[in-house]
Each structure stands twice: as C-alpha cells, then as structure tokens.
Amino acid sequence: MSESIDIKSLNEKVKQQSLAVVSLLSEVSKVIVGQSYILERMLVGLLSDGHILLEGVPGLAKTLAVNTMAKAVSGDFKRVQFTPDLLPSDLTGTLIYDSNKGDFNVKKGPIFSNFILADEINRAPAKVQSAFLEAMQERQVTIGDITYPLPDPFLVLATQNPIEQEGTYPLAEAQVDRFMLKLKLDYPTEQEERAILDRYSTRKKIEVNSVITLKDLEEAKKAVDEIYVDDKVKNYIVDIVIATRKPEKYGLENLRSLIAFGASPRATINLNRAGKALAFLKGRGFVTPEDIKDIGPDVLRHRVLTTYDADAQELTSDDIIKQIFDGVEVP
C-alpha cells in the first residue's frame, strides 16, 4: 500500500517537473518543422547525460535543432566541423606561451560548451576521435598537466553522412558504444516540406526564448533519477540485451547466424536510463515495458553487429532488433 502511495506522489511530482522540460519542445518547434522524434530523443539524452549519434543526409536541420535547443535551455553551443586535418588541440584546447609573463596560458577549445555538434565526426582521424572519446566518457579534458572538468550539462550530438564514404575514418566500435542513442533522420513529409517553405519564405529570423535554466534542468535530472523501475521491467531489459548475445535462449535460433556481436552491458545501463527519461517526458513516475520497446531500437541499433549472412539477406540491425522485441516475452 505504501508503495502505491509513493508511486502516486512520484507521478504528481514528475508531472509538475516535466511540464517545464516538455515546454522546450514547443519552443524549439517554433524554428524546427516536424522532427518531433529527434527533438524528443535529444531531450532523452539531455535528461540522462547520454550522447547521440545522428545519421542523415545533409540539409535536415541537424545543426539548427541543436543550436535552437541550446538557446531554449540558455546553454552554450559550439559546432565543430570534423575534417581530416583536424588536430586534437583544435577540439580540446592547448597551452599558449605568453612572452611577457614567461609562462603558458590555457586556451580552452570548443569542447568546453554545454552542447556540441560534432559535424561529420567520421571525417576526423583516429587521434582526434580518441581525444573526443575521452571527453565524452570522462567528461573532462587534460591540457598540459591539468585536468579540467567539462560543463554540466554536456551533450554531444555527432552526425554521420551515410551517402559519402570518401575521406572518412569509420568510428571504432568502442567509440560508437559510448553513444547512448543512434538516431536515423529521414526526409520531412510533404506537409512538413510545405510548412518549411512557408516558414522560411523570408529572411526574418525566428526568435527563440530561454524557457528553462540549467538549474531547472539539473532539478529535472534529479527527478529522472527517482523514476521507479519495477523488478519485472529490469528483468525485461536484461532479457532483451541477453537475447542479442544468446538468441537461442529465447527461442530465436534463426538469429544466431545473423548476429556477429551482441550488445554490451552499456546497453543494459542505457536502456534503463533512457527508459526513465522517456517516462519522465510522458509525465509518469514509473517505467513501463512499452517505454523500453519505444526507446530500445535507438539504444541497440549501433550495438548489435550483423554478420555477412545478414548482409546477404539484406537484414539490418533494426530488423534483428525488431525480431528480438517480438520474440522476448513482455512482463
């Protein structure tokens, strides 16, 4: 009985606190037409301290979405165009010698911002990707002998262009695994395309207001931490992840030859965190299996690696993940 009372009070608390965060969507929608899926997932990453890898062709407002979100949260935004000649210090910063003082001064790089858009991240060589990986994982950067913490919140949204392969350096699996979500961005619908045309028919800029502060966001993240996850839902999360490694255990023997590597324990952690953030955005104080099914493909698609057999059958990781969710019993 006490548990049900706790859940009820938690629901009320979450409903109140989620209103301010959800208002971000309406504010950002003043500039961005459609793309509600991407905007919601950006909020999931923001609330659960998870980075996002975004795959889509150029011109789909990826930069504009991150920039607008940063303005609505009153956070700092930096865009870094990754190129083959980029150096780690271009990203993290460096020591500059001051001849007047006879000493070195620290010049911090663009990574010291709340929101980072890493445009075409796979165009940078391994050294830059490695430096970026440390910053993403440890949330700190070492310049000289001193380690500097990165600001909070710190959200990386990295993009990859799926139609261009020349002059690119594929991300290492260890780095891809550091992204909480991998999202696939598609073209707008006909109605959205027309709305874009109408909205941007003149050069008049659309003003974006700051609707929540970084302090408000921190309070929202604390509320997300309190979201209740039942043991049955936790077991469901574990079953889904184990099914990517041992599909035969769940009656999915046909997937054994299609999966080269299953999801790592980071998938388990991120499914839980992302599920809690999604429940928060829906104004709920508890996670349901539907939340896990909703966010699951975004957490798993870059962690389930397919075999040559799957490629020969033109099956993607999304196809395999769908079969796993269909085959594993829902509590």
Side-chain angles (χ1 to χ4, degrees):
M1 186 69 174
S2 60
E3 186 181 34
S4 63
I5 294 173
D6 289 340
I7 293 295
K8 186 177 180 181
S9 60
L10 187 57
N11 267 335
E12 291 302 319
K13 179 181 178 181
V14 167
K15 278 182 182 178
Q16 292 299 319
Q17 291 200 302
S18 64
L19 289 176
V21 178
V22 173
S23 67
L24 273 172
L25 293 177
S26 58
E27 189 64 26
V28 175
S29 295
K30 288 165 53 177
V31 176
I32 305 297
V33 177
Q35 307 294 16
S36 57
Y37 158 74
I38 297 296
L39 297 178
E40 182 185 71
R41 293 315 193 246
M42 283 173 63
L43 283 183
V44 168
L46 197 57
L47 290 168
S48 49
D49 287 330
H51 306 299
I52 298 170
L53 182 60
L54 190 57
E55 195 172 271
V57 298
L60 297 181
K62 298 183 289 290
T63 305
L64 186 60
V66 183
N67 193 3
T68 307
M69 185 75 76
K71 289 179 181 176
V73 184
S74 67
D76 297 325
F77 166 74
K78 289 289 191 301
R79 175 183 177 273
V80 181
Q81 179 65 54
F82 281 61
T83 56
D85 60 348
L86 197 71
L87 298 174
S89 57
D90 295 330
L91 188 67
T92 60
T94 189
L95 294 172
I96 298 177
Y97 183 70
D98 187 339
S99 57
N100 294 325
K101 297 181 180 179
D103 201 359
F104 287 92
N105 294 326
V106 174
K107 175 68 175 177
K108 292 183 178 179
I111 204 166
F112 287 89
S113 300
N114 299 117
F115 298 86
I116 304 289
L117 178 67
D119 225 346
E120 295 188 299
I121 188 174
N122 55 332
R123 286 202 178 280
K127 279 187 177 180
V128 177
Q129 292 181 12
S130 178
F132 198 49
L133 173 60
E134 180 194 356
M136 287 171 57
Q137 182 66 19
E138 308 298 334
R139 296 180 182 267
Q140 62 184 29
V141 169
T142 302
I143 304 175
D145 296 328
I146 303 175
T147 299
Y148 300 90
L150 291 172
D152 187 26
F154 176 65
L155 175 67
V156 172
L157 192 143
T159 69
Q160 286 191 125
N161 183 347
I163 61 175
E164 220 173 322
Q165 300 302 325
E166 277 191 40
T168 62
Y169 303 81
L171 298 181
E173 295 304 331
Q175 181 161 13
V176 174
D177 201 35
R178 256 68 172 191
F179 288 96
M180 172 181 270
L181 308 173
K182 181 180 179 181
L183 311 178
K184 290 192 173 180
L185 188 56
D186 206 354
Y187 289 110
T189 64
E190 289 182 28
Q191 293 80 7
E192 290 170 346
E193 194 87 31
R194 176 54 196 268
I196 292 170
L197 177 62
D198 292 338
R199 188 171 297 183
Y200 291 96
S201 58
T202 67
R203 291 183 297 168
K204 184 180 178 181
K205 287 188 176 180
I206 302 171
E207 294 298 325
V208 178
N209 301 313
S210 175
V211 292
I212 67 169
T213 65
L214 295 180
K215 184 178 179 182
D216 295 331
L217 186 60
E218 185 59 36
E219 291 301 314
K221 285 160 73 172
K222 289 178 182 176
V224 170
D225 287 339
E226 296 177 19
I227 298 284
Y228 175 72
V229 185
D230 190 80
D231 285 343
K232 290 181 180 179
V233 177
K234 289 180 181 179
N235 291 336
Y236 181 56
I237 291 172
V238 172
D239 284 340
I240 291 295
V241 175
I242 297 297
T244 68
R245 306 172 198 162
K246 300 177 181 178
E248 64 278 2
K249 184 178 177 181
Y250 300 88
L252 299 168
E253 292 84 358
N254 61 310
L255 299 182
R256 179 66 277 171
S257 63
L258 304 178
I259 301 174
F261 294 98
S264 72
R266 280 200 189 94
T268 310
I269 296 168
N270 287 329
L271 271 173
N272 182 57
R273 289 166 54 198
K276 290 167 77 170
L278 193 60
F280 177 85
L281 292 176
K282 294 179 180 179
R284 245 190 295 110
F286 58 93
V287 177
T288 68
E290 286 304 314
D291 294 326
I292 305 303
K293 292 184 79 169
D294 190 2
I295 202 75
D298 301 321
V299 174
L300 295 172
R301 68 165 51 96
H302 54 303
R303 294 184 165 96
V304 176
L305 306 184
T306 56
T307 62
Y308 290 115
D309 284 349
D311 296 341
Q313 298 177 45
E314 298 185 348
L315 292 172
T316 65
S317 58
D318 280 328
D319 298 324
I320 292 170
I321 291 163
K322 183 180 184 305
Q323 290 187 51
I324 288 173
F325 273 105
D326 289 343
V328 174
E329 185 179 354
V330 179

